[in-house]
Amino acid sequence: QVQLVQSGAEVKQPGSSVKVSCKSSGDTFTNYAFSWVRQAPGQGLEWMGGIIPVFDSASYAHRLEDRVTITTDRSTTTVYMELRSLTSTDTALYYCAAEVGNDFNHPFDYWGQGTLVSVSS
Amino acid sequence: EIVLTQSPGTLSLSPGERATLSCRASRLFDSRYLAWYQQKSGRAPRLLIYGTSTRATGIPDRFSGSGSGTDFTLTISRLEPEDFAVYYCQQYGSSEYSFGQGTKLEVK
């Protein structure tokens, strides 16, 4: 099984960008696909996008695809999520999640602890 | 995008009672790709059910899932105190995953 440890909380100004990391350990990195899921305060879960490290192939939610980029560093087994042009509505807890398999279409067996991103002037 | 609508928004029950949570999809999709998650306050979601009806590792058998087409159900046969939480359905069969808005299961 895999353990996911995310980077710490961020406070950002409107219009700026944020890059959150998710370090994977405990199993072969390329055996998994990874996604980012966010949760605004008091709200539900929103899938943002995912990536398959073995192919370096990413897929994004249509409503975010012009602002989000998900990448990996296989040398450090880390997944990154960058979100640009931040507004207050991007204030949320951001989770990385892993699905077993080097393709999509699996449930999220593993989750990181979450990273709080606050956007405020 | 497949939109998932969960009902009810809030369900108030007592320990020992049976809970039935619904998830309806905006269009047909393969039931192999429907999951349910439990989320407790301040914690990451936990996978309960995948493939509509298969329990994840370590999930007690009081949790069961059913459904097909556009209508799916999570049933908790006899509520334990630790089951009061928020539950989300998720489809992971299309190129864009989606979650329902959640059902809060609270103590009556």
Side-chain angles (χ1 to χ4, degrees):
Chain A
Q1 61 179 18
V2 69
Q3 292 82 45
L4 304 175
V5 178
Q6 299 181 219
S7 50
E10 302 263 12
V11 178
K12 292 292 182 180
Q13 297 230 325
S16 67
S17 300
V18 68
K19 193 170 186 177
V20 183
S21 68
C22 172
K23 166 74 175 174
S24 174
S25 63
D27 199 356
T28 305
F29 186 59
T30 50
N31 285 348
Y32 296 84
F34 298 89
S35 282
W36 288 90
V37 176
R38 70 179 180 177
Q39 187 169 36
Q43 302 301 308
L45 304 170
E46 179 185 17
W47 181 78
M48 301 178 67
I51 192 164
I52 304 169
V54 70
F55 303 119
D56 220 14
S57 170
S59 178
Y60 301 105
H62 290 144
R63 64 181 296 268
L64 292 171
E65 63 186 351
D66 59 341
R67 295 200 294 132
V68 66
T69 302
I70 298 173
T71 57
T72 64
D73 182 338
R74 289 169 65 170
S75 68
T76 61
T77 64
T78 301
V79 186
Y80 297 93
M81 184 283 299
E82 182 180 33
L83 188 62
R84 301 174 292 278
S85 302
L86 293 169
T87 71
S88 59
T89 59
D90 294 313
T91 294
L93 192 57
Y94 288 75
Y95 291 104
C96 69
E99 53 190 283
V100 179
N102 53 17
D103 57 0
F104 289 127
N105 305 128
H106 303 276
F108 297 145
D109 288 275
Y110 306 102
W111 295 73
Q113 83 277 18
T115 296
L116 181 61
V117 175
S118 300
V119 183
S120 173
S121 55
Chain B
E1 179 191 358
I2 298 175
V3 176
L4 300 178
T5 302
Q6 292 186 239
S7 61
T10 302
L11 186 57
S12 300
L13 293 169
S14 299
E17 291 193 292
R18 180 186 186 90
T20 302
L21 287 68
S22 174
C23 175
R24 174 164 290 179
S26 59
R27 61 178 173 87
L28 288 170
F29 69 98
D30 193 325
S31 64
R32 289 179 293 173
Y33 304 119
L34 190 282
W36 291 91
Y37 298 84
Q38 178 193 66
Q39 187 180 33
K40 295 183 178 179
S41 182
R43 305 284 299 274
R46 176 175 72 144
L47 177 65
L48 296 176
I49 300 280
Y50 63 93
T52 294
S53 60
T54 303
R55 281 186 299 276
T57 303
I59 301 304
D61 61 6
R62 64 179 181 274
F63 290 91
S64 64
S66 63
S68 64
T70 60
D71 291 305
F72 300 87
T73 301
L74 173 69
T75 302
I76 311 171
S77 59
R78 266 191 333 277
L79 285 166
E80 297 287 341
E82 62 268 27
D83 298 337
F84 293 91
V86 180
Y87 292 83
Y88 295 94
C89 58
Q90 179 213 18
Q91 67 78 22
Y92 50 95
S94 69
S95 60
E96 183 165 349
Y97 294 176
S98 54
F99 290 91
Q101 82 281 16
T103 290
K104 181 179 180 181
L105 180 55
E106 65 176 22
V107 179
K108 187 175 182 179

